[in-house]
Every structure is written in C-alpha cells, then in structure tokens.
Amino acid sequence: MNLTSKPLAAIILIILLGGISLSTAMGWWQTESTKVAATYTEGEFAGQANPADIRGSYTFGDVEKNFGIPAVVLAQAFNIQTENPATFAAKELETIYAESEFEVGTASVRLFVAFYNGLPIDISTDMYLPQNAADLLKNRNLTAEQSAYLESHTVPNPAAASDSPEVDPAQTAESAPEAEATQSAVTTEASTERLVKGKTSFQEILDWGVSQEVIEQIMGMPMPNPLTKVKDYCAEKGLDFETIKAALQIEVDKAGQ
Amino acid sequence: MKLFGKRLFRPRSIWIRKIVQWFFFLLIALISVNHTLVENGGGIPFLSTASLHALCPFGGVVTIYQYATVGTFVQKIHESAFVLMIIGFVLAFLFGPVFCGWVCPLGTVQEWVAKLGHKFFKRKYNHFIPAKLDSVLRYARYIVLAWVVYVTATSGTLIFAEYDPYFALFNFWSTEVAIGGLIILGATLVLSLFIERPWCKYACPYGAVLGITNLFRVFQIKRAESTCKADGACSIMCPMNIAVDTVKTVRDHQCISCLECTSEAICPVAKTVVFTTGAVK
C-alpha cells in the first residue's frame, strides 16, 4: 500500500488529536499535578503521603490537605505575609528568598513537612529552612541527626519579614537576642565549616588545602574554572554528586587535620 | 495539477506538511503564551493552559525510569507527556519519525531559517561539514540521549530543561527559561543558516529515540531501481543528507519521513520513490 502526503497528514492529525481526545475521555490526560502526593511504598510509613512528592505548584492549602499541617503554620514558618496563606504556592518561596545565601524553595517545604510530621526524608542533599521554621520545629520530636541537620541548615528570615504580623511580637521580643545570637552562630558556622555542599565551588576546596591534582583524580577529569560549583559540574558531566562529594569531603578532612 | 489526465505541474515540496507544521507551531506558541497569561491572572478562553513540559513527548521518555521504579513522575512531568510519548511511538512505528518532520515546532523553525541559508549559499548549503566527520557526529544525539536519561534518573529532576532549546523557544519571555537553553537555541538558529536541522541531526535526544524506528517502521521510503533515472534529485533534496539514490529502502536512523524525496515532490519519475508497505521493482 502506498501513502501520499495528504492522507499521511490526515492520519497524523487523527492519531495525535484523536489520541489526546481519547485519553481525555479516559481521564488520563493530566497537564498539571493532581495535587495528591504519592505515598511511601514500603516500610513503616507505607501508604502515607510522601513529602518528597511536594511540587512547586502545590499551595500551602494543598500541603494542608495532604499532610494536615495548617496553611497558617506553613505561612508562619516561611514568613509569608498574606491574608490567604492557603493560596500561596511553594515555588514562590524562591522569589521571596532570592537574597538568601542558600536556596529556600520547594525542597525546604518538603523538609519542613517531613520534620514537622516525623516522616522520613532523604537529607543527604542540602535543603535550608528559615529561622522561623527552625524555631517551630524545635518543639517537634526530632532525632539527634535531624536536629544537627537543622542546626547547620538554617538561614536568617528574609529582611522584609522581620516585622511579620504572623509571629507573636511578645515571643519575638523575648527571643530576639537569643535568635540574633543563634543566627550569628549559624552564619559564622556556615562561613568557617569545611563541608562540601551543593553550593561549594572548586575554589573553596582548593582553599581548604586539597590540591588540584587530588581533585582531578577524584573527578576523573580536568578541573574546570575554580569558581564552578562542584554540584553543577557533576550534573553537567553526568557524575554522581553524592559520590564525588563524599570523596572530596574525606580529602578536605585530611587536609584540615 | 492535472489537465486531461496529463500532469502540468509537479510540486517540488510537500506543501501539506508545511501547513501541518504551521498548525502545530501556532498551537504550541499560543498555549505557551496562554500559560504565562494565566500565571499573571489573564488567559485566552477555550485554549489549554498547560506548561510546555506537559506537552513534550520526550518528558514521557525521561520519566520512564522513575515511573517504573518509584511510581511517580519526574518533577514538572505529567500524565499528558506519557500519553504523547505513546502516541509518538505509535506514529513512529507506523511511519517513522513523522513527529520530527511534521509536528515538532523546533524542527519547523530550523526549516524556516534554512530557507535563508539556501538563498545565501545555494547548492553549498547543508554541505559544509565533511562527510566522514558528519557521519560520526550523527551519533552524538545518542550520547545526549544517554546523558539525559542518566542524569534524570539519578537526580529525579528535569535537568535537561536547563539546556532544552525547545523549551527556550517557547519560554524566552518567562523567568523559567535557563540561560543554557537560550544559548543552545541561539546556536541552533545560527547553525541552521549553514546546516539544515542541526539540532535534529546532532543533538536531539527525542529524535534519537524515534530514529531507531526507521529500521522497522511499517511504511518505508523505497526506490524503484527499474525506473530510477539516478539523477540524485532525491538525495539533494533530503534535509537530512540521506543518499536516497543509493539504496532501495531508506533505513537511515536520521530519516524524518518528510516525503520531500518522493515522486510526489522532487523525484521527476512517477512511482519511483514512494512511501509504501509493499515491494518496488
């Protein structure tokens, strides 16, 4: 059977548009998240909503529906001043925290929800929470590992939110010196600790005493511009950042001894 | 055009393909604009507001691993991408990569720029790269494919969006677009002045997937040796530089089923280069 262009054009349109129509009728055509988080498939928490599936398009209201954390608590944790916190989308955090040294975004919401509800979450990567969120989590039952992670992954609240009406002024006044001291400690720690993180550049590793030769040996390839972030370079070259990070951390620790 | 059974005018191009390409280009462009408008409180009524990620069949391909192992989609990918992936495979199984030749708006834009290249360089156009080097470079898109699938599977995020010229083409006005995507889009458009469909030939991971179906597609481009005048017109016309006049059946992984080489377009002899399921003599 021969086929010419006109019937082929018709067939392409029929299959493509017909396929979409059919899938729509069957309920398979979803172009946005259904806002129902996937559940843990195994272990103690099997069947429960998994915070790792929270997407940028989730509003605090969606998070409340899935995880039972009131939207107002989420707004307080992330210093969001709005009359209707339920409509605030997680992806908007990146804009609000654009000035922050470390990224606060959807991953931060995942972390907060997991710690708040005592659910497991992979903390092998860096996720940061604002001071308010960290303060709220201090009253939850965190493990020693989670507490330590939180300690080193807290960023100051954004400047614009310092007079947030959502936070109890009395409590703020009482804890102001302490909070300031904590923030200062966190900032100092972040600037002096020698931890290989997502934002660490090759220059920092060189500054920490690891030679270029050793870095290249670990990477298995020439080192790029020292200002390049290790994580970005690993993603670009298809390398497993976690493996590289662990190997580099060993060398950093050796150099620091 | 025929008069009293005689062919008076033979089209040199498959014009219906251009119409289909225009249709999908405008459709995707309008939906992308609408997506931005809706995010800003506006919107065009009765038009989809889907994000471009939801309308890209390659999104379905890169999320297969995560879907099979975890049961979820990669961030930003939705069921619609999966549906489009299946439709793309059905079309490719029947007709080869018609998605590339007839539907993909990035391929369409490259063809538009190619018209300028043809005007500037005449016959030299699309023949700047030495044949040997070119034949090796044609496999680079499989490396891109392997890299994209690997980094998506290991990271669970759509890292390719940072480099995707298709996403950049329809989102260059938004804050979502990555500088890497814009640079690659710019490079693709500039290269299109010298080479036809450079992104498709050397880098497109989705084209790499669909191209494999040229080995076993139901409808194939076949050349009848008995009536072929061996004038090479089919090979000259091929945007993907396939030497159609040297083979009986086109099984090249780069063929995009555009039909420009067939007797319906450039081949001057009727029923000599055809798109068929049967045998030709």
Side-chain angles (χ1 to χ4, degrees):
Chain A
M1 183 171 74
N2 289 3
L3 196 61
T4 55
S5 61
K6 286 175 206 160
L8 177 60
I11 292 169
I12 290 170
L13 288 171
I14 289 167
I15 291 181
L16 201 47
L17 302 180
I20 292 170
S21 303
L22 179 68
S23 65
T24 305
M26 301 294 286
W28 301 332
W29 184 259
Q30 301 288 340
T31 58
E32 54 187 41
S33 171
T34 52
K35 309 291 171 61
V36 177
T39 54
Y40 292 101
T41 52
E42 54 190 28
E44 183 189 346
F45 297 93
Q48 285 196 46
N50 186 345
D53 198 44
I54 293 173
R55 293 164 184 244
S57 59
Y58 274 42
T59 61
F60 284 170
D62 297 324
V63 177
E64 181 176 339
K65 277 182 204 159
N66 279 278
F67 299 95
I69 302 174
V72 69
V73 170
L74 290 160
Q76 182 181 340
F78 290 94
N79 296 285
I80 306 306
Q81 301 174 56
T82 171
E83 287 181 4
N84 190 1
T87 59
F88 183 87
K91 63 182 174 186
E92 291 172 42
L93 285 174
E94 281 185 32
T95 312
I96 289 173
Y97 285 84
E99 300 298 315
S100 172
E101 187 185 355
F102 299 104
E103 185 178 307
V104 175
T106 309
S108 309
V109 179
R110 292 183 197 126
L111 178 68
F112 179 80
V113 170
F115 279 14
Y116 195 92
N117 281 358
L119 296 168
I121 189 166
D122 177 14
I123 53 171
S124 61
T125 55
D126 291 316
M127 297 171 280
Y128 293 88
L129 287 173
Q131 190 63 49
N132 267 16
D135 291 342
L136 281 170
L137 289 174
K138 278 174 187 164
N139 301 323
R140 313 298 292 185
N141 290 326
L142 299 186
T143 64
E145 187 193 11
Q146 287 172 335
S147 295
Y149 184 88
L150 192 59
E151 235 358 79
S152 60
H153 290 77
T154 303
V155 299
N157 293 325
S162 58
D163 56 352
S164 167
E166 301 293 339
V167 181
D168 181 4
Q171 188 187 346
T172 308
E174 276 174 24
S175 60
E178 187 187 332
E180 199 177 309
T182 311
Q183 281 179 20
S184 170
V186 169
T187 310
T188 309
E189 187 189 347
S191 60
T192 56
E193 69 186 352
R194 295 181 167 197
L195 281 179
V196 182
K197 298 176 179 176
K199 302 259 177 180
T200 306
S201 68
F202 286 99
Q203 185 60 56
E204 285 173 276
I205 294 174
L206 289 170
D207 293 342
W208 293 338
V210 182
S211 71
Q212 182 173 343
E213 201 178 307
V214 172
I215 294 173
E216 289 181 344
Q217 204 176 345
I218 290 170
M219 304 290 292
M221 59 182 68
M223 193 183 87
N225 182 324
L227 297 178
T228 308
K229 290 188 176 65
V230 179
K231 190 175 183 181
D232 292 348
Y233 193 64
C234 286
E236 187 190 331
K237 297 293 178 188
L239 300 171
D240 182 7
F241 173 63
E242 292 309 318
T243 310
I244 298 291
K245 184 175 87 168
L248 287 173
Q249 188 63 57
I250 290 169
E251 295 302 325
V252 167
D253 293 343
K254 270 190 212 168
Q257 283 170 356
Chain B
M1 185 184 293
K2 287 184 179 178
L3 187 65
F4 305 119
K6 287 198 171 183
R7 194 153 122 174
L8 296 178
F9 168 72
R10 181 171 52 78
R12 293 179 65 83
S13 187
I14 304 291
W15 60 268
I16 189 89
R17 187 174 75 91
K18 315 286 183 195
I19 293 174
V20 174
Q21 285 180 303
W22 264 104
F23 171 76
F24 283 108
F25 177 85
L26 290 174
L27 183 66
I28 297 297
L30 283 171
I31 290 173
S32 288
V33 170
N34 203 28
H35 181 70
T36 307
L37 290 175
V38 166
E39 286 198 330
N40 291 289
I44 306 167
F46 309 114
L47 185 65
S48 171
T49 59
S51 74
L52 207 61
H53 296 304
L55 299 176
C56 179
F58 187 58
V61 177
V62 296
T63 203
I64 286 176
Y65 176 80
Q66 183 164 323
Y67 191 74
T69 53
V70 187
T72 60
F73 294 110
V74 168
Q75 303 283 329
K76 297 183 182 176
I77 299 297
H78 307 292
E79 286 84 345
S80 55
F82 231 71
V83 170
L84 287 173
M85 175 192 73
I86 293 166
I87 292 172
F89 283 155
V90 169
L91 283 169
F93 175 72
L94 291 171
F95 311 113
V98 282
F99 182 89
C100 307
W102 293 67
V103 178
C104 177
L106 183 59
T108 302
V109 170
Q110 289 175 86
E111 284 190 15
W112 291 343
V113 180
K115 284 183 182 172
L116 278 177
H118 275 293
K119 279 190 179 169
F120 292 152
F121 301 111
K122 310 290 181 196
R123 289 211 157 196
K124 179 74 179 162
Y125 181 74
N126 208 17
H127 292 92
F128 285 100
I129 298 182
K132 276 191 179 175
L133 175 63
D134 180 66
S135 63
V136 175
L137 288 176
R138 296 296 179 107
Y139 289 95
R141 59 185 191 165
Y142 289 98
I143 296 171
V144 177
L145 171 66
W147 173 76
V148 174
V149 170
Y150 175 75
V151 295
T152 311
T154 52
S155 70
T157 56
L158 206 57
I159 287 175
F160 184 57
E162 309 248 330
Y163 310 97
D164 186 358
Y166 172 62
F167 185 77
L169 176 65
F170 291 107
N171 281 277
F172 63 84
W173 58 81
S174 82
T175 52
E176 282 185 60
V177 71
I179 189 73
L182 285 172
I183 290 170
I184 292 175
L185 174 64
T188 300
L189 297 180
V190 170
L191 283 172
S192 296
L193 285 169
F194 306 93
I195 305 160
E196 188 130 22
R197 287 179 171 256
W199 173 257
C200 313
K201 279 176 181 163
Y202 306 118
C204 181
Y206 188 52
V209 175
L210 296 183
I212 295 168
T213 61
N214 282 329
L215 301 174
F216 52 81
R217 59 184 171 176
V218 175
F219 280 86
Q220 295 182 312
I221 292 175
K222 294 186 176 177
R223 184 178 62 93
E225 287 183 308
S226 58
T227 52
C228 178
K229 288 185 174 175
D231 57 4
C234 48
S235 302
I236 292 168
M237 190 64 178
C238 178
M240 305 304 280
N241 305 89
I242 297 167
V244 181
D245 63 336
T246 62
V247 293
K248 280 186 76 174
T249 302
V250 175
R251 289 200 179 89
D252 193 298
H253 68 102
Q254 293 254 321
C255 178
I256 55 172
S257 304
C258 64
L259 306 191
E260 300 290 352
C261 61
T262 62
S263 296
E264 196 187 346
I266 196 69
C267 178
V269 189
K271 296 180 182 172
T272 295
V273 181
V274 290
F275 196 46
T276 184
T277 54
V280 293
K281 290 180 182 176

